[in-house]
Coordinates of all heavy atoms in Angstrom, one line a residue:
M1236 N -0.9 8.0 31.9 CA -0.8 7.4 30.6 C 0.2 6.3 30.5 O 1.3 6.4 31.1 CB -0.5 8.4 29.5 CG -1.7 9.3 29.2 SD -1.5 10.2 27.6 CE -0.2 11.4 28.1
E1237 N -0.1 5.2 29.9 CA 0.8 4.1 29.7 C 1.4 4.1 28.3 O 0.9 4.8 27.4 CB 0.0 2.8 29.8 CG -0.7 2.6 31.1 CD 0.2 2.1 32.2 OE1 1.4 1.8 31.9 OE2 -0.2 2.1 33.4
K1238 N 2.6 3.4 28.2 CA 3.2 3.3 26.9 C 2.8 2.0 26.2 O 2.7 1.0 26.9 CB 4.7 3.2 27.1 CG 5.4 4.5 27.5 CD 6.9 4.4 27.6 CE 7.5 5.7 28.0 NZ 9.0 5.6 28.1
Y1239 N 2.5 2.1 24.9 CA 2.0 1.0 24.1 C 2.8 0.9 22.9 O 3.4 1.9 22.4 CB 0.5 1.1 23.8 CG -0.4 1.1 25.0 CD1 -0.8 2.3 25.6 CD2 -0.9 -0.1 25.4 CE1 -1.6 2.2 26.7 CE2 -1.8 -0.2 26.5 CZ -2.1 1.0 27.1 OH -3.0 1.0 28.2
E1240 N 2.8 -0.3 22.3 CA 3.3 -0.5 20.9 C 2.2 -1.2 20.1 O 1.5 -2.1 20.6 CB 4.6 -1.4 21.0 CG 5.7 -0.7 21.7 CD 6.9 -1.6 21.8 OE1 6.9 -2.7 21.2 OE2 7.9 -1.3 22.5
T1241 N 2.1 -0.8 18.9 CA 1.2 -1.5 18.0 C 1.9 -1.8 16.6 O 2.7 -1.0 16.2 CB -0.1 -0.7 17.8 OG1 -1.0 -1.5 17.0 CG2 0.1 0.6 17.1
I1242 N 1.6 -2.9 16.1 CA 2.0 -3.2 14.7 C 0.7 -3.7 14.0 O -0.1 -4.4 14.6 CB 3.1 -4.3 14.7 CG1 3.7 -4.4 13.3 CG2 2.7 -5.6 15.2 CD1 5.0 -5.1 13.2
F1243 N 0.6 -3.2 12.8 CA -0.6 -3.7 12.0 C -0.1 -4.0 10.6 O 0.8 -3.4 10.1 CB -1.7 -2.7 12.0 CG -1.4 -1.3 11.5 CD1 -1.7 -0.9 10.2 CD2 -0.8 -0.4 12.4 CE1 -1.4 0.4 9.8 CE2 -0.5 0.9 11.9 CZ -0.8 1.3 10.6
I1244 N -0.8 -4.9 9.9 CA -0.6 -5.3 8.6 C -1.8 -5.0 7.7 O -2.9 -5.4 8.1 CB -0.3 -6.8 8.5 CG1 0.9 -7.2 9.5 CG2 0.1 -7.2 7.1 CD1 1.0 -8.7 9.7
T1245 N -1.6 -4.3 6.6 CA -2.7 -4.0 5.7 C -2.5 -4.8 4.4 O -1.4 -5.2 4.1 CB -2.7 -2.4 5.4 OG1 -1.4 -2.0 4.9 CG2 -3.1 -1.6 6.6
K1246 N -3.6 -4.9 3.7 CA -3.6 -5.6 2.5 C -2.6 -5.1 1.5 O -2.4 -3.9 1.4 CB -5.0 -5.6 1.9 CG -6.1 -6.3 2.7 CD -7.4 -6.2 2.1 CE -8.5 -6.9 2.9 NZ -9.8 -6.8 2.3
S1247 N -2.0 -6.0 0.7 CA -1.0 -5.6 -0.3 C -1.6 -4.9 -1.5 O -0.8 -4.3 -2.2 CB -0.2 -6.8 -0.7 OG -1.0 -7.8 -1.2
D1248 N -2.8 -5.1 -1.8 CA -3.4 -4.5 -3.0 C -4.1 -3.2 -2.8 O -4.8 -2.8 -3.7 CB -4.3 -5.6 -3.7 CG -5.5 -6.0 -2.8 OD1 -5.6 -5.5 -1.7 OD2 -6.4 -6.7 -3.3
I1249 N -4.0 -2.6 -1.7 CA -4.6 -1.3 -1.5 C -3.8 -0.2 -2.1 O -2.6 -0.3 -2.4 CB -4.9 -1.0 0.0 CG1 -3.6 -0.9 0.8 CG2 -5.8 -2.0 0.6 CD1 -3.7 -0.4 2.2
T1250 N -4.4 1.0 -2.3 CA -3.7 2.1 -2.9 C -2.9 2.8 -1.8 O -3.3 2.7 -0.6 CB -4.6 3.1 -3.5 OG1 -5.5 3.7 -2.5 CG2 -5.5 2.5 -4.6
Q1251 N -1.9 3.6 -2.2 CA -1.2 4.4 -1.2 C -2.1 5.3 -0.5 O -1.9 5.6 0.7 CB 0.0 5.1 -1.9 CG 0.9 5.8 -0.9 CD 1.8 4.9 -0.1 OE1 1.8 3.7 -0.2 NE2 2.6 5.5 0.8
K1252 N -3.0 5.9 -1.2 CA -4.0 6.8 -0.6 C -4.8 6.2 0.5 O -5.0 6.8 1.6 CB -4.9 7.4 -1.7 CG -5.8 8.5 -1.3 CD -6.6 9.0 -2.5 CE -7.5 10.1 -2.0 NZ -8.3 10.7 -3.1
Q1253 N -5.3 5.0 0.3 CA -6.1 4.2 1.3 C -5.2 4.0 2.5 O -5.7 4.1 3.6 CB -6.5 2.9 0.7 CG -7.6 3.0 -0.3 CD -8.0 1.6 -0.9 OE1 -7.1 1.0 -1.5 NE2 -9.2 1.2 -0.7
R1254 N -4.0 3.6 2.3 CA -3.1 3.2 3.4 C -2.8 4.5 4.2 O -2.8 4.5 5.4 CB -1.8 2.6 2.8 CG -0.9 2.1 3.9 CD 0.2 1.2 3.2 NE 1.2 1.0 4.2 CZ 2.4 1.5 4.1 NH1 2.8 2.3 3.1 NH2 3.3 1.3 5.0
L1255 N -2.5 5.6 3.6 CA -2.2 6.9 4.3 C -3.4 7.4 5.0 O -3.3 8.0 6.1 CB -1.7 7.9 3.3 CG -0.3 7.6 2.7 CD1 0.1 8.7 1.7 CD2 0.8 7.5 3.8
A1256 N -4.6 7.1 4.5 CA -5.8 7.6 5.1 C -6.0 6.8 6.4 O -6.4 7.4 7.5 CB -7.0 7.3 4.2
L1257 N -5.7 5.5 6.4 CA -5.8 4.7 7.6 C -4.8 5.1 8.7 O -5.1 5.3 9.8 CB -5.6 3.2 7.3 CG -5.6 2.3 8.5 CD1 -6.9 2.2 9.2 CD2 -5.1 0.9 8.2
I1258 N -3.6 5.4 8.2 CA -2.5 5.8 9.1 C -2.9 7.2 9.7 O -2.7 7.4 10.9 CB -1.1 5.9 8.4 CG1 -0.7 4.4 8.1 CG2 -0.1 6.6 9.2 CD1 0.5 4.4 7.1
S1259 N -3.5 8.0 8.9 CA -3.9 9.4 9.4 C -5.0 9.2 10.5 O -5.0 9.9 11.5 CB -4.4 10.2 8.3 OG -4.8 11.4 8.7
Q1260 N -5.9 8.3 10.3 CA -7.0 8.0 11.3 C -6.4 7.5 12.6 O -6.8 8.0 13.6 CB -7.9 6.9 10.7 CG -9.1 7.3 10.0 CD -10.0 6.1 9.7 OE1 -9.6 5.2 9.0 NE2 -11.2 6.2 10.2
I1261 N -5.4 6.6 12.5 CA -4.7 6.1 13.7 C -4.0 7.2 14.4 O -4.1 7.3 15.6 CB -3.8 4.9 13.3 CG1 -4.6 3.7 12.8 CG2 -2.9 4.5 14.5 CD1 -3.8 2.7 12.1
Q1262 N -3.3 8.0 13.7 CA -2.5 9.1 14.3 C -3.5 10.1 15.0 O -3.2 10.5 16.1 CB -1.7 9.9 13.2 CG -0.5 9.1 12.7 CD 0.2 9.9 11.6 OE1 -0.5 10.5 10.7 NE2 1.5 9.8 11.6
N1263 N -4.6 10.4 14.3 CA -5.5 11.3 14.9 C -6.2 10.8 16.2 O -6.3 11.5 17.2 CB -6.6 11.7 13.9 CG -6.1 12.6 12.8 OD1 -5.1 13.3 13.0 ND2 -6.8 12.6 11.7
L1264 N -6.5 9.5 16.2 CA -7.1 8.8 17.3 C -6.1 8.8 18.5 O -6.5 9.2 19.6 CB -7.5 7.4 16.9 CG -8.3 6.6 17.9 CD1 -9.2 5.7 17.2 CD2 -7.5 5.9 19.0
I1265 N -4.9 8.5 18.3 CA -3.9 8.5 19.4 C -3.6 9.9 19.9 O -3.5 10.1 21.1 CB -2.6 7.7 18.9 CG1 -2.9 6.2 18.7 CG2 -1.5 7.9 20.0 CD1 -1.8 5.5 18.0
S1266 N -3.4 10.8 18.9 CA -3.0 12.2 19.3 C -4.0 12.9 20.0 O -3.7 13.9 20.7 CB -2.6 12.9 18.0 OG -1.5 12.3 17.4
T1267 N -5.3 12.5 19.9 CA -6.4 13.2 20.6 C -6.2 13.2 22.1 O -6.4 14.2 22.8 CB -7.7 12.6 20.3 OG1 -7.9 12.7 18.9 CG2 -8.9 13.3 21.0
N1268 N -5.8 12.0 22.7 CA -5.6 11.9 24.1 C -4.2 11.5 24.5 O -3.9 11.3 25.7 CB -6.6 10.9 24.6 CG -8.0 11.3 24.5 OD1 -8.4 12.4 24.8 ND2 -8.8 10.4 23.9
G1269 N -3.3 11.3 23.6 CA -2.0 10.8 23.9 C -1.0 11.4 22.9 O -1.2 12.4 22.3
E1270 N 0.1 10.7 22.8 CA 1.2 11.1 21.9 C 1.9 9.9 21.2 O 2.1 8.9 21.9 CB 2.2 12.0 22.5 CG 3.1 11.4 23.5 CD 4.2 12.3 24.1 OE1 5.2 12.5 23.4 OE2 4.0 12.7 25.2
I1271 N 2.3 10.1 20.0 CA 3.1 9.1 19.3 C 4.6 9.6 19.4 O 4.9 10.7 19.2 CB 2.7 9.1 17.8 CG1 1.3 8.5 17.6 CG2 3.7 8.2 17.0 CD1 0.7 8.6 16.2
Y1272 N 5.4 8.6 19.9 CA 6.8 9.0 20.0 C 7.8 8.2 19.1 O 8.9 8.5 19.0 CB 7.3 9.0 21.5 CG 7.2 7.6 22.2 CD1 8.3 6.8 22.2 CD2 6.1 7.3 22.8 CE1 8.3 5.6 22.8 CE2 6.0 6.0 23.5 CZ 7.1 5.2 23.5 OH 7.1 4.0 24.1
D1273 N 7.2 7.3 18.3 CA 8.0 6.6 17.3 C 7.1 5.9 16.3 O 6.1 5.3 16.7 CB 8.9 5.5 17.9 CG 9.9 4.9 16.9 OD1 10.1 5.5 15.9 OD2 10.4 3.8 17.2
M1274 N 7.4 6.1 15.1 CA 6.5 5.5 14.0 C 7.4 5.0 12.9 O 8.3 5.7 12.4 CB 5.6 6.6 13.5 CG 4.5 6.0 12.7 SD 3.2 7.3 12.5 CE 2.1 6.5 11.4
Q1275 N 7.2 3.8 12.4 CA 8.1 3.2 11.4 C 7.2 2.5 10.3 O 6.3 1.7 10.7 CB 9.0 2.2 12.0 CG 10.0 2.7 13.0 CD 10.8 1.6 13.6 OE1 11.0 0.6 13.0 NE2 11.2 1.8 14.9
D1276 N 7.5 2.8 9.1 CA 6.9 2.2 7.9 C 7.9 1.0 7.6 O 9.0 1.3 7.1 CB 6.7 3.1 6.8 CG 6.2 2.5 5.5 OD1 6.1 1.2 5.5 OD2 6.0 3.2 4.5
L1277 N 7.5 -0.2 7.8 CA 8.3 -1.3 7.6 C 8.2 -1.9 6.2 O 8.9 -2.8 5.8 CB 8.1 -2.4 8.7 CG 8.2 -2.0 10.1 CD1 7.8 -3.1 11.1 CD2 9.7 -1.5 10.4
G1278 N 7.3 -1.4 5.4 CA 7.1 -1.7 4.0 C 6.4 -3.0 3.8 O 5.8 -3.6 4.6
L1279 N 6.4 -3.4 2.5 CA 5.8 -4.6 2.0 C 6.6 -5.8 2.3 O 7.8 -5.9 2.0 CB 5.5 -4.5 0.5 CG 4.7 -5.6 -0.1 CD1 3.3 -5.7 0.4 CD2 4.7 -5.5 -1.6
K1280 N 6.0 -6.8 3.0 CA 6.7 -8.0 3.4 C 5.9 -9.2 3.1 O 4.7 -9.2 3.1 CB 7.1 -8.0 4.9 CG 8.0 -6.8 5.3 CD 8.4 -7.0 6.7 CE 9.4 -5.9 7.1 NZ 10.7 -6.1 6.6
K1281 N 6.6 -10.3 2.9 CA 5.9 -11.6 2.8 C 5.4 -12.1 4.1 O 6.1 -12.0 5.1 CB 6.9 -12.6 2.2 CG 6.3 -13.9 1.8 CD 7.2 -14.8 1.0 CE 6.8 -16.2 0.8 NZ 5.6 -16.4 0.0
L1282 N 4.2 -12.6 4.1 CA 3.6 -13.1 5.4 C 4.1 -14.5 5.6 O 4.4 -15.2 4.7 CB 2.1 -13.1 5.3 CG 1.4 -11.7 5.0 CD1 -0.1 -11.9 4.8 CD2 1.7 -10.8 6.2
A1283 N 4.2 -14.9 6.9 CA 4.6 -16.2 7.3 C 3.6 -17.3 6.8 O 4.0 -18.4 6.5 CB 4.8 -16.3 8.8
Y1284 N 2.4 -16.9 6.7 CA 1.3 -17.8 6.3 C 0.2 -16.9 5.6 O 0.1 -15.7 5.8 CB 0.7 -18.6 7.4 CG 0.2 -17.8 8.6 CD1 -1.1 -17.3 8.7 CD2 1.1 -17.4 9.6 CE1 -1.5 -16.6 9.7 CE2 0.7 -16.7 10.7 CZ -0.6 -16.2 10.8 OH -1.1 -15.5 11.8
T1285 N -0.6 -17.6 4.8 CA -1.7 -16.8 4.1 C -2.7 -16.4 5.1 O -3.2 -17.1 5.9 CB -2.3 -17.8 3.1 OG1 -1.3 -18.2 2.2 CG2 -3.4 -17.0 2.3
V1286 N -3.1 -15.1 4.9 CA -4.2 -14.5 5.8 C -5.2 -13.9 4.8 O -4.9 -13.0 4.0 CB -3.6 -13.3 6.7 CG1 -4.7 -12.7 7.5 CG2 -2.5 -13.8 7.5
H1287 N -6.4 -14.4 4.9 CA -7.5 -14.0 4.0 C -7.1 -13.9 2.5 O -7.3 -13.0 1.8 CB -8.1 -12.6 4.4 CG -8.5 -12.6 5.9 ND1 -9.6 -13.3 6.3 CD2 -8.0 -11.9 6.9 CE1 -9.8 -13.0 7.6 NE2 -8.9 -12.2 8.0
N1288 N -6.4 -15.0 2.1 CA -5.9 -15.1 0.7 C -4.8 -14.1 0.3 O -4.6 -13.9 -0.8 CB -7.1 -15.1 -0.3 CG -8.0 -16.2 -0.1 OD1 -7.6 -17.3 0.2 ND2 -9.3 -15.9 -0.2
Y1289 N -4.1 -13.5 1.3 CA -3.0 -12.6 1.0 C -1.7 -13.3 1.5 O -1.7 -13.9 2.6 CB -3.2 -11.3 1.8 CG -4.3 -10.4 1.1 CD1 -5.6 -10.5 1.5 CD2 -3.9 -9.5 0.1 CE1 -6.6 -9.7 0.9 CE2 -4.9 -8.7 -0.5 CZ -6.2 -8.9 -0.1 OH -7.2 -8.1 -0.7
N1290 N -0.7 -13.2 0.7 CA 0.6 -13.7 1.0 C 1.6 -12.6 1.4 O 2.7 -12.9 1.8 CB 1.2 -14.5 -0.2 CG 0.4 -15.7 -0.5 OD1 0.0 -16.4 0.5 ND2 0.1 -16.0 -1.7
E1291 N 1.2 -11.3 1.1 CA 2.0 -10.2 1.4 C 1.2 -9.1 2.1 O 0.0 -9.1 1.9 CB 2.6 -9.5 0.2 CG 3.6 -10.4 -0.6 CD 4.2 -9.7 -1.8 OE1 3.4 -9.0 -2.5 OE2 5.4 -9.8 -2.0
G1292 N 1.8 -8.2 2.8 CA 1.1 -7.1 3.5 C 2.1 -6.0 3.8 O 3.3 -6.2 3.9
Y1293 N 1.5 -4.8 4.0 CA 2.3 -3.6 4.4 C 2.3 -3.6 6.0 O 1.3 -3.6 6.6 CB 1.7 -2.3 3.9 CG 1.9 -2.1 2.4 CD1 0.8 -2.4 1.6 CD2 3.1 -1.7 1.9 CE1 1.0 -2.2 0.2 CE2 3.3 -1.5 0.6 CZ 2.2 -1.8 -0.3 OH 2.4 -1.6 -1.6
Y1294 N 3.5 -3.5 6.5 CA 3.7 -3.5 8.0 C 4.0 -2.1 8.4 O 4.8 -1.4 7.8 CB 4.9 -4.3 8.4 CG 4.7 -5.8 8.4 CD1 4.4 -6.5 7.2 CD2 4.7 -6.6 9.5 CE1 4.2 -7.9 7.1 CE2 4.5 -8.0 9.5 CZ 4.3 -8.6 8.3 OH 4.1 -10.0 8.3
D1295 N 3.3 -1.7 9.5 CA 3.6 -0.4 10.2 C 3.6 -0.6 11.7 O 2.9 -1.4 12.2 CB 2.4 0.6 9.8 CG 2.5 1.1 8.4 OD1 3.3 2.0 8.2 OD2 1.8 0.6 7.6
F1296 N 4.6 0.1 12.3 CA 4.8 0.0 13.7 C 4.8 1.4 14.4 O 5.3 2.3 13.9 CB 6.2 -0.6 13.9 CG 6.7 -0.8 15.3 CD1 6.1 -1.8 16.1 CD2 7.6 0.1 15.9 CE1 6.5 -1.9 17.4 CE2 8.0 -0.1 17.2 CZ 7.5 -1.1 18.0
I1297 N 4.1 1.4 15.5 CA 3.9 2.7 16.2 C 4.1 2.5 17.7 O 3.6 1.6 18.3 CB 2.5 3.3 16.0 CG1 2.2 3.5 14.6 CG2 2.4 4.6 16.8 CD1 0.8 3.9 14.3
K1298 N 4.9 3.4 18.4 CA 5.1 3.4 19.8 C 4.3 4.7 20.3 O 4.5 5.8 19.7 CB 6.5 3.5 20.2 CG 7.3 2.3 20.0 CD 8.7 2.4 20.6 CE 9.5 1.1 20.4 NZ 10.9 1.3 21.0
F1299 N 3.5 4.6 21.3 CA 2.7 5.7 21.7 C 2.4 5.7 23.2 O 2.5 4.6 23.8 CB 1.5 5.8 20.9 CG 0.5 4.7 21.0 CD1 -0.6 4.8 21.9 CD2 0.7 3.5 20.3 CE1 -1.5 3.7 22.0 CE2 -0.2 2.5 20.4 CZ -1.3 2.6 21.3
K1300 N 2.0 6.8 23.8 CA 1.6 7.0 25.1 C 0.1 7.3 25.0 O -0.3 8.2 24.2 CB 2.3 8.1 25.9 CG 3.7 7.8 26.1 CD 4.4 9.0 26.9 CE 5.9 8.8 26.9 NZ 6.5 10.0 27.5
S1301 N -0.7 6.7 25.8 CA -2.2 6.9 25.7 C -2.9 6.3 26.9 O -2.4 5.4 27.5 CB -2.6 6.2 24.4 OG -4.0 6.2 24.3
P1302 N -4.1 6.9 27.2 CA -4.9 6.2 28.2 C -5.6 5.0 27.6 O -5.6 4.8 26.4 CB -6.0 7.3 28.5 CG -6.0 8.2 27.3 CD -4.7 8.1 26.7
K1303 N -6.0 4.1 28.5 CA -6.6 2.8 28.0 C -7.8 3.0 27.1 O -8.0 2.2 26.2 CB -7.0 2.0 29.2 CG -7.4 0.6 28.9 CD -7.6 -0.3 30.1 CE -8.1 -1.7 29.6 NZ -7.3 -2.8 30.0
S1304 N -8.6 4.0 27.3 CA -9.7 4.3 26.4 C -9.4 4.5 25.0 O -10.1 4.0 24.1 CB -10.5 5.5 26.9 OG -9.7 6.7 26.9
A1305 N -8.2 5.1 24.7 CA -7.8 5.3 23.3 C -7.3 4.0 22.7 O -7.5 3.8 21.5 CB -6.7 6.3 23.3
V1306 N -6.8 3.1 23.6 CA -6.3 1.8 23.1 C -7.5 1.0 22.7 O -7.5 0.3 21.6 CB -5.5 1.1 24.2 CG1 -5.2 -0.3 23.7 CG2 -4.2 1.9 24.4
E1307 N -8.6 1.0 23.4 CA -9.8 0.3 23.1 C -10.4 0.9 21.8 O -10.9 0.1 20.9 CB -10.8 0.4 24.2 CG -10.4 -0.4 25.4 CD -10.2 -1.9 25.1 OE1 -11.0 -2.5 24.4 OE2 -9.2 -2.4 25.6
A1308 N -10.4 2.2 21.6 CA -10.9 2.8 20.4 C -10.0 2.4 19.2 O -10.5 2.1 18.1 CB -10.9 4.3 20.5
L1309 N -8.7 2.3 19.4 CA -7.8 1.8 18.3 C -8.1 0.4 17.9 O -8.1 0.0 16.8 CB -6.3 2.0 18.8 CG -5.2 1.6 17.8 CD1 -5.3 2.4 16.5 CD2 -3.9 1.7 18.5
R1310 N -8.3 -0.5 18.9 CA -8.7 -1.9 18.7 C -9.9 -2.0 17.8 O -10.0 -2.7 16.9 CB -8.8 -2.6 20.0 CG -9.1 -4.1 19.9 CD -9.2 -4.8 21.2 NE -8.4 -4.3 22.3 CZ -7.1 -4.7 22.4 NH1 -6.5 -5.5 21.6 NH2 -6.4 -4.3 23.4
K1311 N -10.9 -1.2 18.1 CA -12.2 -1.2 17.4 C -11.9 -0.7 16.0 O -12.5 -1.2 15.0 CB -13.2 -0.3 18.1 CG -13.8 -0.9 19.3 CD -14.8 -0.1 20.0 CE -15.3 -0.7 21.3 NZ -16.2 0.1 22.0
L1312 N -11.1 0.3 15.8 CA -10.8 0.9 14.5 C -10.1 -0.2 13.6 O -10.5 -0.5 12.5 CB -9.8 2.1 14.6 CG -9.5 2.8 13.3 CD1 -9.3 4.3 13.6 CD2 -8.3 2.3 12.6
Y1313 N -9.2 -1.0 14.2 CA -8.5 -2.1 13.5 C -9.6 -3.1 13.1 O -9.6 -3.6 12.0 CB -7.5 -2.8 14.3 CG -6.2 -2.0 14.5 CD1 -5.4 -2.1 15.7 CD2 -5.6 -1.2 13.5 CE1 -4.2 -1.4 15.8 CE2 -4.4 -0.5 13.6 CZ -3.7 -0.7 14.8 OH -2.5 0.0 15.0
Q1314 N -10.4 -3.5 14.1 CA -11.4 -4.6 13.8 C -12.4 -4.2 12.8 O -12.9 -5.1 12.0 CB -12.1 -5.0 15.1 CG -11.2 -5.7 16.1 CD -11.8 -5.9 17.5 OE1 -12.7 -5.1 17.9 NE2 -11.3 -6.9 18.2
N1315 N -12.8 -3.0 12.7 CA -13.8 -2.5 11.7 C -13.2 -2.1 10.4 O -14.0 -1.9 9.5 CB -14.6 -1.3 12.3 CG -15.4 -1.7 13.5 OD1 -15.9 -2.9 13.6 ND2 -15.6 -0.8 14.5
S1316 N -11.9 -2.1 10.2 CA -11.3 -1.7 9.0 C -11.3 -3.0 8.0 O -10.9 -4.1 8.5 CB -9.9 -1.2 9.2 OG -9.2 -1.0 8.0
D1317 N -11.7 -2.7 6.8 CA -11.6 -3.8 5.8 C -10.3 -4.0 5.2 O -10.1 -4.9 4.3 CB -12.7 -3.7 4.8 CG -12.6 -2.4 4.0 OD1 -11.9 -1.5 4.5 OD2 -13.3 -2.3 3.0
I1318 N -9.3 -3.1 5.5 CA -8.0 -3.3 4.9 C -6.9 -3.8 5.8 O -5.8 -4.1 5.4 CB -7.5 -1.9 4.2 CG1 -7.3 -0.8 5.2 CG2 -8.5 -1.5 3.1 CD1 -6.7 0.4 4.6
V1319 N -7.3 -3.9 7.1 CA -6.3 -4.4 8.1 C -6.4 -5.9 8.1 O -7.5 -6.5 8.4 CB -6.5 -3.8 9.5 CG1 -5.6 -4.5 10.5 CG2 -6.3 -2.3 9.5
L1320 N -5.3 -6.6 7.9 CA -5.3 -8.1 7.9 C -5.1 -8.6 9.3 O -5.7 -9.5 9.8 CB -4.2 -8.6 7.0 CG -4.3 -8.4 5.5 CD1 -3.1 -8.9 4.8 CD2 -5.5 -9.2 5.0
K1321 N -4.1 -8.0 10.0 CA -3.7 -8.4 11.4 C -3.3 -7.2 12.1 O -2.7 -6.3 11.6 CB -2.6 -9.4 11.4 CG -2.9 -10.8 10.8 CD -3.6 -11.6 11.9 CE -3.7 -13.0 11.5 NZ -4.5 -13.8 12.4
F1322 N -3.4 -7.3 13.5 CA -2.9 -6.2 14.3 C -2.5 -6.8 15.7 O -3.0 -7.8 16.1 CB -3.9 -5.0 14.5 CG -5.1 -5.4 15.3 CD1 -5.1 -5.2 16.6 CD2 -6.2 -5.9 14.6 CE1 -6.2 -5.5 17.4 CE2 -7.3 -6.3 15.4 CZ -7.4 -6.0 16.8
L1323 N -1.7 -6.0 16.4 CA -1.3 -6.4 17.7 C -1.0 -5.1 18.5 O -0.4 -4.2 18.0 CB 0.0 -7.2 17.7 CG 0.5 -7.7 19.1 CD1 -0.4 -8.7 19.8 CD2 1.9 -8.3 18.9
I1324 N -1.6 -5.0 19.7 CA -1.3 -3.8 20.6 C -0.9 -4.4 21.9 O -1.5 -5.3 22.5 CB -2.6 -3.0 20.8 CG1 -3.3 -2.6 19.5 CG2 -2.3 -1.8 21.7 CD1 -4.7 -2.0 19.7
I1325 N 0.3 -3.9 22.4 CA 0.8 -4.4 23.6 C 1.2 -3.3 24.5 O 1.5 -2.2 24.1 CB 2.1 -5.4 23.4 CG1 3.2 -4.6 22.8 CG2 1.7 -6.6 22.7 CD1 4.5 -5.4 22.8
L1326 N 1.2 -3.6 25.8 CA 1.6 -2.6 26.8 C 3.2 -2.7 26.8 O 3.7 -3.8 27.0 CB 1.0 -3.0 28.2 CG 1.3 -2.0 29.3 CD1 0.7 -0.7 29.0 CD2 0.7 -2.6 30.6
S1327 N 3.8 -1.6 26.6 CA 5.3 -1.6 26.5 C 5.9 -1.5 27.9 O 5.3 -1.1 28.9 CB 5.7 -0.3 25.7 OG 7.1 -0.3 25.5
D1328 N 7.2 -1.9 27.9 CA 8.0 -1.8 29.1 C 8.2 -0.3 29.4 O 8.7 0.4 28.6 CB 9.3 -2.5 28.9 CG 10.2 -2.5 30.1 OD1 9.7 -2.1 31.2 OD2 11.4 -2.9 30.0
S1329 N 7.9 0.1 30.6 CA 7.9 1.5 31.0 C 9.3 2.0 31.3 O 9.5 3.2 31.5 CB 7.0 1.8 32.2 OG 7.4 1.0 33.3
T1330 N 10.3 1.1 31.2 CA 11.7 1.5 31.5 C 12.4 2.1 30.3 O 13.6 2.5 30.4 CB 12.5 0.4 32.1 OG1 12.5 -0.7 31.1 CG2 12.0 -0.1 33.4
E1331 N 11.8 2.0 29.1 CA 12.4 2.5 27.9 C 12.6 4.0 27.9 O 11.8 4.8 28.3 CB 11.6 2.1 26.6 CG 11.7 0.6 26.4 CD 11.0 0.2 25.1 OE1 10.8 1.1 24.2 OE2 10.6 -0.9 25.1

């Protein structure tokens, strides 16, 4: 398993329930074949530029270990979600 980091930005006008449901989906997806070892709610922040008519979004950051297949499933989850504005998944430095 490789170490990865992901950050995703959700729409600012969603309910807390919707946001927590998405986070729960992400946690379940990763935990099925891997493990989350750090998770941070970075809160509501102003975006550097407008994305789909939004100037603010909720930022969340996760560090996890997972096989590549789970990363591809996570990418599809982000792409198919109507509340995710932006996301990034990177392979982390394994010396951490």
Side-chain angles (χ1 to χ4, degrees):
M1236 283 194 290
E1237 300 281 351
K1238 290 183 178 180
Y1239 294 92
E1240 296 179 5
T1241 183
I1242 189 164
F1243 59 97
I1244 307 168
T1245 53
K1246 295 178 178 179
S1247 59
D1248 61 354
I1249 62 172
T1250 65
Q1251 185 70 3
K1252 186 176 180 180
Q1253 288 175 301
R1254 188 164 165 254
L1255 292 176
L1257 175 66
I1258 292 169
S1259 179
Q1260 269 187 300
I1261 293 167
Q1262 287 175 321
N1263 290 339
L1264 191 148
I1265 294 170
S1266 298
T1267 301
N1268 296 312
E1270 73 173 278
I1271 295 173
Y1272 61 92
D1273 187 20
M1274 192 165 177
Q1275 298 174 27
D1276 175 356
L1277 303 175
L1279 184 66
K1280 296 186 178 284
K1281 185 171 172 65
L1282 301 174
Y1284 54 91
T1285 302
V1286 179
H1287 303 294
N1288 296 321
Y1289 287 89
N1290 295 318
E1291 293 181 322
Y1293 288 103
Y1294 284 66
D1295 287 279
F1296 178 74
I1297 303 171
K1298 289 184 179 183
F1299 63 99
K1300 294 179 188 175
S1301 172
K1303 187 170 177 126
S1304 61
V1306 173
E1307 289 304 317
L1309 180 60
R1310 185 180 320 280
K1311 286 180 184 177
L1312 187 147
Y1313 286 147
Q1314 290 172 336
N1315 293 329
S1316 173
D1317 59 345
I1318 63 172
V1319 174
L1320 293 174
K1321 290 281 189 181
F1322 69 91
L1323 179 67
I1324 306 170
I1325 61 168
L1326 186 61
S1327 180
D1328 183 8
S1329 59
T1330 60
E1331 289 182 24

